[in-house]
Structure formats: structure tokens, C-alpha cells
Amino acid sequence: MDKIVKSDAEWRAQLSDMAYKVTRKHGTERAGTHENFPKEPGTYMCVCCGAPLFEQDAKFESGTGWPSFYQPIDSEMVGEKVDRSFFMKRTEVHCNRCEAHLGHVFPDGPQPTGLRYCINGVALTFEPEE
């Protein structure tokens, strides 16, 4: 996979203020901000680099207010690291292609994986199936 590396100024110019705050500065959007994602078949892509991350088929309603998925398209595209912010230990997930912060993964999702990738909606774009 080709890594995408840009300067802070380049990311700021490309992204909205909220997308920059979330993806480049490890922020979190307010819950319920992106409940309007389409329901038709398609792919959720990284807002920073366009990497395909999640399929509509893996999306589920978690009740958290953030888009949730039980698995990524390719586990090589979504990296993990320990996040010890806010006096908690969580597993952060990021795009392996451009290092964009996406959200966190928790072990309380549905089968078949039992995982809940809780993703900031502003970190994603949606491309419908053709």
C-alpha cells in the first residue's frame, strides 16, 4: 500500500475544520452528527485519502450516535493502537494509508466478529455501488 503523507498545511487546505480536527488531531465529533448516511449498498472511504474502509453491509445501528461497523473491508487498511487519553484505555483505529484518526473499536459488537468499530462520520465519505 502506498502511504499518503502531507504537511499539516496541506491537510488543513483539503479538509473541513471538523474533519481536520478529528482525523489529524484525534478529535471526536458530537454524537448524532452523521445519522444521514445513505442506506443503499456502497463503500465508506477515508475522507483524507479515499482508501476503502467499510462496506454498507457491515454497518449496524449501535445506538451510540456514531456510525458503527462490525468489520473493515480489509484489516490491513485499518490500523489499531492503544489510546490512554481521558484516563481510559481504549483501542484507537486509524487509516493505515494516511494515518487519519477514525475512531475506536470495542468488543461489544454483533456477530460474526463481536466488534464495534465506532467511527466518526466526518472521517468518512460514502460511495454508492454502481
Side-chain angles (χ1 to χ4, degrees), residues 14-35:
Q14 174 185 328
L15 302 168
S16 70
D17 289 344
M18 182 55 78
Y20 174 80
K21 178 183 173 192
V22 168
T23 61
R24 308 321 306 175
K25 299 299 180 184
H26 299 261
T28 301
E29 68 187 357
R30 190 171 42 88
T33 304
H34 283 87
E35 294 178 358

Side-chain angles (χ1 to χ4, degrees), residues 1 3 52-53 72-79 94-97:
M1 149 188 11
K3 296 281 188 174
L53 301 174
I73 293 171
D74 179 350
S75 60
E76 293 296 313
M77 291 303 294
V78 178
H94 58 269
C95 174
N96 268 339
R97 188 171 178 214

